């Protein structure tokens, strides 16, 4: 996507319970304009391999990285270095936050952004370190829905036009059936 880098940081991943929803988070991040998916909690190479296989078939758009110490990583990101020696902006998605459509116009766009999604229990420091605690409605629902709505709004509703590099499979929109071009054939 155009503009500064957008990361998604998934906290508290549990390998036994969360692979499906966390894969969906990464895929929604990829489809809706995130550049990197950062996983904290348990390591899971199998999940990263699955995501890599999607990228090999449908094109490259999302880098995946495991973050061993997410709170240290976040503190550094917001206070010192978002990758280029200057601080970045953290948005924490939480049902306790301010309405996302009101928050988005206030968020600076000239710095890398990390969108933080919680796990089973969110450490209180996430609320303190994030410059924005943002709600997608004030009801509990799904991190996948919250991320999709936030990213779509962040990118002004243009996320679904995203182009992916080196795609082998290209889906042709069709009102009936499946039309897929396989460039290897
Ligand atoms: N029990 C967790 C807690 O202590 O906050 C919440 C679990 S919830 C299923 C997982 C994540 O979904 C949350 O941390 C948040 O990132 C996201 N989420 C759920 N509902 C949300 C909402 N209404 N607005 C924004 N994010 C939401």
């Amino acid at each position: 996507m155009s503009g500064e880098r957008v990361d998604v940081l998934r906290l508290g991943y549990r390998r036994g319970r969360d692979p499906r929803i966390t894969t969906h988070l990464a895929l929604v991040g990829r489809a809706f304009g995130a550049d990197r998916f950062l996983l904290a909690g348990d390591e899971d190479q199998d999940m990263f391999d699955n995501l890599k296989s999607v990228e090999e078939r449908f094109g490259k758009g999302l880098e995946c990285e495991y973050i061993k110490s997410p709170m240290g990583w976040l503190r550094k990101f917001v206070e010192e270095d978002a990758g280029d020696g200057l601080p970045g902006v953290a948005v924490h998605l939480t049902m306790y936050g301010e309405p996302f459509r009101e928050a988005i116009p206030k968020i600076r766009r000239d710095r890398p952004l990390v969108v933080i999604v919680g796990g089973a229990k969110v450490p209180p420091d996430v609320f303190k370190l994030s410059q924005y605690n943002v709600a997608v409605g004030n009801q509990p629902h799904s991190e996948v829905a919250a991320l999709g709505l936030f990213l779509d709004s962040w990118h002004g509703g243009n996320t679904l036009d995203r182009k992916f590099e080196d795609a082998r499979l290209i889906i042709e929109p069709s009102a009936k059936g499946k039309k897929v071009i396989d460039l290897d054939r």
Side-chain angles (χ1 to χ4, degrees), residues 10 92-96 116-122 134-143 146:
R10 197 310 182 237
H92 170 215
L93 294 178
T94 166
M95 64 177 173
Y96 305 102
I116 303 160
V117 175
K121 193 149 175 41
V122 178
V134 160
V136 178
N138 296 110
Q139 298 294 322
H141 51 79
S142 156
E143 49 269 59

Side-chain angles (χ1 to χ4, degrees), residues 30-33 55 58-62 162-167:
R30 174 180 178 275
F32 287 67
E55 291 258 295
F58 291 96
K60 293 184 182 55
L62 190 76
R162 182 174 197 185
K163 301 281 180 281
F164 295 91
E165 273 176 44
D166 302 327

Side-chain angles (χ1 to χ4, degrees), residues 1-2 31-33 100-101 104 109 147-162:
M1 299 295 295
S2 57
F32 287 67
F100 75 113
R101 291 199 174 94
I104 281 176
R109 286 177 174 272
L147 181 67
L149 279 162
F150 177 84
L151 286 178
D152 192 55
S153 212
W154 178 255
H155 289 297
N158 297 321
T159 43
L160 299 178
D161 300 334
R162 182 174 197 185

